[in-house]
Amino acid sequence: MAEIQRKGGHADAISADLGTPEGAALLAKQVRSIVGDRLDVLVLNAGISKSARIADYTVENLDSLFATNVRGPFFLVPAFPSSVQRHTDRERRDGP
């Protein structure tokens, strides 16, 4: 972030637990406090993995992986309904 800001750009760091609906709602609220209701791009690139044999995986490892890699995007997209809806409407009108 420091390098982006040093070069005249704008960057903010936001932390939230996206494995819960409440965490996604909190992240959306924080984003709106920074950018308002305009969100042009939503990049869902958070992900975790554990380098281990399947026999060494625990239920806790699997739950953590699933919460971040599956539940996070599932909860996050609906947390930005107006932004997602505007894109969907524009895509329907103009094509993909």
Side-chain angles (χ1 to χ4, degrees):
M1 281 191 349
E3 184 176 344
I4 292 169
Q5 293 168 340
R6 193 170 42 255
K7 292 182 177 183
H10 181 85
D12 292 284
I14 300 171
S15 177
D17 177 2
L18 298 182
T20 67
E22 299 80 18
L26 175 62
L27 180 100
K29 182 178 179 180
Q30 291 172 325
V31 167
R32 283 191 196 94
S33 75
I34 296 167
V35 300
D37 196 37
R38 180 181 174 154
L39 182 67
D40 294 324
V41 177
L42 179 61
V43 177
L44 302 170
N45 73 334
I48 62 170
S49 67
K50 178 174 173 54
S51 181
R53 296 183 338 219
I54 192 85
D56 297 331
Y57 252 70
T58 65
V59 171
E60 291 79 18
N61 295 143
L62 182 61
D63 287 346
S64 175
L65 184 133
F66 194 82
T68 300
N69 298 350
V70 178
R71 291 172 59 97
F74 183 83
F75 295 138
L76 193 55
V77 170
F80 292 96
S82 61
S83 299
V84 172
Q85 186 61 48
R86 278 196 308 273
H87 176 73
T88 303
D89 291 345
R90 186 171 40 244
E91 193 172 82
R92 283 187 188 135
R93 183 188 69 232
D94 301 337

